[in-house]
Amino acid sequence: MASSVLWATCDVMVYPPPAVFCSLHKRSHLISLDTTLPSALSVNSHGNLHLRFFVLRSRRLDWKAGKGNYKRVVAVVTDTVRSAASSQLEKGAEFDRSAPPPFSLADIKAAIPKYCWVKDTNKSLSYFFRDVALVFGLATAAASVDNWLVWPLYWLAQGTMFWALFVLGHDCGHGSFSSSKTLNAVIGHLTHSFILVPYHGWRISHRTHHQNHGHAEKDESWHPLTESQYRSLDPLTRWTRFTVLSMFAYPVYLWVRSPGKSGSHFHPSSPLFAPSEKKDVLMSSVAWGAMASLVTCLTVVMGPPWMFKLYFIPYLVNIIWLDVVTYLHHHGQDSRIPWYRGKEWNYMRGGLSTIDRDYGWFNNIHHDIGTHVVHHLFPQIPHYHLVEATEAVKPILGQYYREPKKSGPFPIHLLKPLLQSLSQDHYVKDEGEVLFYQTDSKSTAKS
């Protein structure tokens, strides 16, 4: 007898008493063997259990016979589904966000109001001029006062503003700043070159990150190491990667990328870039060189102490912001974050593995970059519409959306997940298509 599989997706309503609604998709006209238990269970946005499973029958069914066979298949699985649902509820089963969602990317997109997609160039420019005014205003005020009680406050404030400039350039890279490619390129170069980031080199690699987000091998930013890669790291690299020192790593990443990957954001012939992109990369590298030369000249003219106080220390604060924020968008949740490879990965599932964060007073200052899930799925949405778009899609996402922990004025609550993740999220297995971080018990014991 020929054997085949019938794929079924069911929502099992627990209150009122269980009933099963199956959407059955034919893989062939023949169904054989016995009914099996559900292979994955989750809770949908309505609070009902959602199960994926294979239905296997012990006799032939002529699919073309119609509703009669449909009802018989439903009857076969109903008792199994009810039993599994009751068992899982009693155990308090954790929601499995690695299971394929019951909605599509089109469903999410349809829930977002049309105005959220509109790019307001004047509004974007107002944020740019606001940030530039604050940067120069802070520098002027700090230099005028020149008091050691003031300098630490200046470093925190100015480093945060450098980071805000990066986020505006980030929007330019996605094209969400303006519909004008020329304006995006101009503002992107001004904001990124000022903080020593090669705009086009970064823009292209960041595009790769979004196109492959959540992919254990192809992702570009803070992707996991496989166990074999982890074991092959020299002690210094391993120690640096999994301590707070990694939060200063961004300049190194720009030059040599992450462990396990090769290339540079500055070199036009880097494997990061297509041949058609060489001109853009070269242009940004020249702009970076011009800014580096200006900083060097100012250091000679003004003296190293002044440049350290006015520029270099805020630059380091900006690097910390950048590394901490980007790391926490993909790590550090109480529930494990899935990574994918092979057939299990797709764009939507990868995007849903990202995490929203609340930064308190800093949300508006750094342009709501913490509202990250919708941004990853639809990077064309301007930053000033991300919060509204996120609220609109929450009913669709249900528990696939991780509600961020509310922050006080300062996001000090994020220190715990950051440090915990660095000490526990070491590698993923070399094999498999749905992956979760593993902890090196030897490394944990040493620390």
Side-chain angles (χ1 to χ4, degrees):
M1 181 183 296
S3 175
S4 64
V5 176
L6 183 68
W7 178 262
T9 301
C10 291
D11 283 337
V12 184
M13 299 181 66
V14 183
Y15 302 105
V20 179
F21 302 91
C22 292
S23 173
L24 303 176
H25 303 284
K26 176 179 59 173
R27 286 198 177 179
S28 85
H29 296 297
L30 299 176
I31 305 170
S32 63
L33 305 179
D34 294 323
T35 303
T36 62
L37 288 173
S39 60
L41 182 146
S42 58
V43 182
N44 68 16
S45 59
H46 303 293
N48 303 324
L49 291 169
H50 180 81
L51 298 102
R52 316 168 40 238
F53 55 92
F54 296 111
V55 179
L56 303 173
R57 289 276 289 183
S58 59
R59 56 178 174 153
R60 290 174 179 241
L61 289 176
D62 181 0
W63 192 264
K64 294 181 180 179
K67 294 182 179 179
N69 285 329
Y70 179 93
K71 291 179 180 178
R72 274 186 284 167
V73 172
V74 172
V76 169
V77 303
T78 299
D79 289 340
T80 300
V81 171
R82 284 178 176 172
S83 175
S86 299
S87 174
Q88 294 292 342
L89 283 174
E90 290 172 3
K91 294 177 182 177
E94 182 180 345
F95 180 78
D96 182 14
R97 292 187 177 91
S98 68
F103 47 81
S104 68
L105 190 65
D107 294 330
I108 304 172
K109 185 176 182 179
I112 300 174
K114 290 184 179 180
Y115 72 86
C116 288
W117 303 89
V118 177
K119 304 167 189 176
D120 186 336
T121 300
N122 290 331
K123 191 169 188 175
S124 296
L125 284 171
S126 72
Y127 282 108
F128 170 71
F129 288 120
R130 180 199 75 174
D131 289 0
V132 170
L134 283 171
V135 165
F136 285 98
L138 286 169
T140 301
S144 300
V145 175
D146 191 17
N147 185 296
W148 282 104
L149 295 176
V150 174
W151 282 116
L153 299 175
Y154 166 78
W155 295 332
L156 174 62
Q158 189 70 296
T160 302
M161 292 314 304
F162 281 17
W163 161 237
L165 287 176
F166 176 90
V167 177
L168 285 181
H170 160 272
D171 288 358
C172 292
H174 283 299
S176 61
F177 186 90
S178 170
S179 297
S180 168
K181 291 184 178 180
T182 300
L183 183 61
N184 287 332
V186 170
I187 300 298
H189 276 96
L190 289 174
T191 52
H192 278 198
S193 298
F194 179 75
I195 52 175
L196 297 176
V197 175
Y199 171 68
H200 280 307
W202 166 85
R203 175 184 62 80
I204 295 165
S205 76
H206 191 66
R207 180 188 64 200
T208 301
H209 166 53
H210 271 258
Q211 290 174 340
N212 298 280
H213 49 209
H215 195 292
E217 296 164 350
K218 297 179 181 180
D219 201 342
E220 177 63 26
S221 301
W222 292 115
H223 64 90
L225 298 173
T226 63
E227 183 173 5
S228 58
Q229 289 174 328
Y230 174 82
R231 303 294 181 194
S232 68
L233 294 178
D234 63 84
L236 179 61
T237 301
R238 186 185 299 183
W239 179 73
T240 304
R241 170 64 179 79
F242 298 100
T243 65
V244 292
L245 287 177
S246 61
M247 298 300 109
F248 295 88
Y250 189 70
V252 178
Y253 162 73
L254 290 177
W255 284 101
V256 297
R257 296 179 76 189
S258 304
K261 295 184 181 290
S262 61
S264 169
H265 289 76
F266 296 90
H267 199 296
S269 297
S270 169
L272 273 168
F273 314 123
S276 61
E277 295 167 332
K278 287 185 177 182
K279 187 176 179 180
D280 284 344
V281 175
L282 182 60
M283 180 194 308
S284 295
S285 295
V286 169
W288 183 95
M291 182 62 192
S293 298
L294 176 61
V295 169
T296 302
C297 291
L298 289 173
T299 303
V300 172
V301 172
M302 299 174 62
W306 271 105
M307 282 301 289
F308 268 93
K309 290 187 290 186
L310 285 171
Y311 184 84
F312 289 115
I313 297 179
Y315 170 78
L316 287 176
V317 173
N318 153 66
I319 293 301
I320 295 170
W321 265 116
L322 194 158
D323 278 324
V324 168
V325 170
T326 55
Y327 183 87
L328 288 175
H329 283 158
H330 305 277
H331 299 78
Q333 256 286 340
D334 293 336
S335 57
R336 297 192 301 168
I337 305 299
W339 292 81
Y340 307 97
R341 64 162 69 101
K343 294 181 180 179
E344 288 290 343
W345 181 89
N346 63 44
Y347 181 84
M348 182 181 71
R349 292 177 78 184
L352 292 176
S353 71
T354 61
I355 307 166
D356 278 8
R357 299 290 187 183
D358 183 9
Y359 293 95
W361 284 350
F362 296 90
N363 285 330
N364 180 265
I365 296 172
H366 62 199
H367 310 296
D368 289 314
I369 192 64
T371 313
H372 208 63
V373 176
V374 166
H375 164 69
H376 250 272
L377 293 172
F378 307 107
Q380 314 93 320
I381 296 178
H383 75 263
Y384 40 83
H385 289 317
L386 286 175
V387 172
E388 298 149 299
T390 298
E391 290 301 319
V393 304
K394 282 182 182 180
I396 303 297
L397 302 184
Q399 291 197 50
Y400 282 90
Y401 177 77
R402 303 168 181 83
E403 193 72 41
K405 183 176 180 179
K406 293 299 180 183
S407 174
F410 295 92
I412 56 176
H413 69 289
L414 295 177
L415 284 174
K416 180 180 178 180
L418 172 66
L419 296 175
Q420 183 173 304
S421 177
L422 288 171
S423 66
Q424 296 179 0
D425 296 341
H426 294 148
Y427 58 83
V428 297
K429 293 180 179 179
D430 290 343
E431 304 294 333
E433 296 190 345
V434 179
L435 308 161
F436 297 92
Y437 267 112
Q438 308 294 311
T439 301
D440 181 0
S441 56
K442 294 181 180 179
S443 175
T444 304
K446 289 179 181 179
S447 60

